[in-house]
Amino acid sequence: RSIKENITELSSMANTTVKMDWLDNYLFDEDLQNIKKNLHKCSYSLPTIPKRINDVLGMVSLMLPQGTTKKEFLNRPPSLGLNSEDLDLLRKHCNHPLYEPEQQSLMFRIVRRLMLFMLIPCSGASSINDLLDILENELKSGVPA
């Protein structure tokens, strides 16, 4: 499917009243099955996404830059709604020795995709730490991209 078709589908999904896993709202087909399959593997020592981070990202992911949520999108908080404590938590979590490389890859793709969806440039970022640095800079500026 084309990106336009995916965005159109995402827009209609965000406007429904059905409770959905927030990852469904912005991930594209090629990532969605792999991420959902691996996200809740029982063999992981640590969860892929800490609960606090999941809650914050889930709320921000519903703000689309068009349609009925455009006003919320224009008034969105910087840094995906994450504060400095959240960014520190996420950095420590993703750099923990028990955090698997597969989880690091999944988290990188999740955060990068959401940043791009929220129009936060992440050119040159090749790790979750690079993405978190970009989010910290945005938080310090106090203005979303």
Side-chain angles (χ1 to χ4, degrees), residues 77-80 120-121 133-145:
S79 190
L80 300 176
I120 301 172
D133 290 343
I134 293 168
L135 292 174
E136 282 179 358
N137 289 336
E138 185 173 289
L139 185 62
K140 287 176 187 173
S141 78
V143 179

Side-chain angles (χ1 to χ4, degrees), residues 39-144:
L39 193 59
H40 303 290
K41 265 190 183 175
C42 295
S43 62
Y44 291 146
S45 298
L46 295 173
T48 299
I49 304 175
K51 182 176 180 351
R52 163 80 181 131
I53 304 303
N54 184 59
D55 294 346
V56 173
L57 295 181
M59 291 183 34
V60 171
S61 71
L62 297 175
M63 297 178 203
L64 298 171
Q66 62 198 26
T68 59
T69 60
K70 183 176 182 177
K71 185 176 181 179
E72 289 85 358
F73 177 84
L74 294 173
N75 294 313
R76 72 194 180 283
S79 190
L80 300 176
L82 300 170
N83 60 35
S84 59
E85 290 175 6
D86 295 331
L87 294 172
D88 288 343
L89 168 68
L90 189 53
R91 189 179 302 274
K92 287 176 185 170
H93 186 80
C94 291
N95 289 300
H96 192 283
L98 295 177
Y99 201 66
E100 302 286 337
E102 184 180 48
Q103 288 178 289
Q104 289 177 347
S105 176
L106 287 171
M107 186 54 112
F108 173 80
R109 290 193 323 229
I110 290 168
V111 173
R112 184 176 184 275
R113 191 62 65 88
L114 187 53
M115 287 173 69
L116 292 172
F117 201 68
M118 292 291 130
L119 307 178
I120 301 172
C122 36
S123 300
S126 60
S127 70
I128 189 69
N129 287 324
D130 293 342
L131 296 177
L132 295 174
D133 290 343
I134 293 168
L135 292 174
E136 282 179 358
N137 289 336
E138 185 173 289
L139 185 62
K140 287 176 187 173
S141 78
V143 179

